[in-house]
Amino acid sequence: MKLLKSIITIGILLTSITNYGQFTDQINSNRPGKSMGAFAVGKKIYQVESGLYYINESNEVPNYDARGFGLDFAARGGFIKEQLEFVLEAQFQLDKYSVTDSINKNRNGLKQTTFGAKYLFYDPFKKAPAKPNIYSWKANHKMSWKQFIPAISGYVGINYVMKNDYSIPNESAISPKVMLVTQHHFGVKWVLVSNIIADKITSNNANFGSVFTLTRAISEKWAAFIENKAIKGNYYSDGIFTIGATHLLKNNIQIDASISKNIKSTPSLLYGGIGFSWRFDKKHKDIQMKDGKEVKDKKEDKNKKTKGSLSQEELDKEKAKAEKKSRKNKPDAAQEKPTQETKKKRLDDIEETPAP
């Protein structure tokens, strides 16, 4: 009996989740990894993701060492449609740069600034999942090939590079960035996110790469992940591995910690940090879905029609109708005057009539 209740409960929960838009009860954050998830934050949702990190960078040729701190920042917002998201990303760093005993200087500046938009083209969870089989435990726990179908998004952005201590020689100030994003959900605990990236493709420092992030839910509040980032470019190529964990403080607040190490010695990188993600969702309204399509709220449409959505021609017609109705209800002045005179005459007649 307990098994039957559990199956029915899970089925109801899954149906309630997939019958609405991309909005979820819990925050959907890209931190602390470097990959970008396929799903948008949702319409009228605004999210901030930020963190502090420590970096230790050294190189054999040329022989230098750099140690310092940095700040990662990302602002995400959903506009127009549930599937559309705009993203602003920036990275600020300050460190001490040393070349043997000849150069020692303090550096600071923006290392990266990117603004772009992401759109979800395919969502495998739009349609309600198959109903649970209340008669067979085996049927409910067998592998489903549908879970290998990912959510698919596309991203287009613009890089802006300032001339400072971190800029690459002869680097273009503005360059495009495009990305293909996929996201697999294997059961309820495992998520695989992959990004295929083409960055600065119109500049001399174009690079191509990929990011794969595998996340496992440990409990309702905790999750751990491992990530690999590969970069192949004219100026810089590398492979970076990251491990980390996240903790859900509230449904709209998440904290995280991570540590990363690359595979090269030219340069050698070691960095780690902590961060948080915060979501503002008070203005969000659930978007109901039916058969994979958005269902509009009839009450909302009716309110829109009565609150300023009429055209100027329709407003003029409504005004003319109101004036006509007002004139119809108001008595004619020509008719009103004789009536008053008649009443006055009758009063005079009464006063002149002698008493018996």
Side-chain angles (χ1 to χ4, degrees), residues 100-279:
T100 59
D101 296 328
S102 58
I103 300 176
N104 288 286
K105 68 174 182 177
N106 294 321
R107 304 185 302 179
N108 65 81
L110 282 170
K111 293 189 70 176
Q112 173 193 343
T113 306
T114 307
F115 178 76
K118 180 181 67 178
Y119 188 83
L120 179 70
F121 292 105
Y122 178 72
D123 180 2
F125 302 107
K126 257 191 173 182
K127 294 185 178 180
K131 294 181 180 180
N133 189 331
I134 62 175
Y135 301 105
S136 173
W137 182 92
K138 185 178 180 181
N140 288 307
H141 289 79
K142 70 178 182 180
M143 186 181 68
S144 173
W145 291 103
K146 289 184 179 180
Q147 67 184 344
F148 292 97
I149 302 174
I152 302 173
S153 290
Y155 171 89
V156 178
I158 296 293
N159 298 301
Y160 175 68
V161 178
M162 299 180 66
K163 298 297 181 182
N164 54 33
D165 294 326
Y166 301 107
S167 58
I168 300 172
N170 302 320
E171 186 173 19
S172 301
I174 297 176
S175 59
K177 178 179 181 179
V178 295
M179 183 163 49
L180 175 67
V181 183
T182 64
Q183 183 167 332
H184 295 78
H185 288 255
F186 302 112
V188 295
K189 291 187 176 182
W190 295 91
V191 178
L192 176 64
V193 174
S194 62
N195 296 172
I196 307 299
I197 308 165
D199 198 8
K200 303 178 181 179
I201 49 181
T202 60
S203 69
N204 297 327
N205 302 310
N207 64 78
F208 301 88
S210 62
V211 185
F212 295 95
T213 306
L214 181 63
T215 304
R216 187 186 189 280
I218 300 172
S219 66
E220 291 183 358
K221 300 289 185 179
W222 287 93
F225 79 97
I226 183 171
E227 180 179 273
N228 171 248
K229 180 179 181 180
I231 307 168
K232 179 65 177 177
N234 298 330
Y235 184 82
Y236 176 66
S237 299
D238 207 344
I240 302 172
F241 288 91
T242 304
I243 58 172
T246 63
H247 177 65
L248 192 69
L249 289 179
K250 295 182 178 180
N251 282 341
N252 66 329
I253 301 176
Q254 172 191 290
I255 58 174
D256 60 75
S258 64
I259 185 168
S260 302
K261 181 71 177 74
N262 71 331
I263 60 176
K264 294 177 62 176
S265 59
T266 54
S268 173
L269 296 173
L270 175 64
Y271 56 92
I274 56 174
F276 77 97
S277 302
W278 174 79
R279 179 178 73 179

Side-chain angles (χ1 to χ4, degrees), residues 31-32 34 48-55 68-74 90-94 254-260 270-277:
R31 284 194 58 85
K34 297 300 181 182
V48 174
E49 302 173 6
S50 185
L52 293 170
Y53 64 87
Y54 170 79
I55 185 168
F69 296 89
L71 173 69
D72 287 319
F73 174 82
Q91 184 182 48
F92 178 85
Q93 185 170 309
L94 54 90
Q254 172 191 290
I255 58 174
D256 60 75
S258 64
I259 185 168
S260 302
L270 175 64
Y271 56 92
I274 56 174
F276 77 97
S277 302

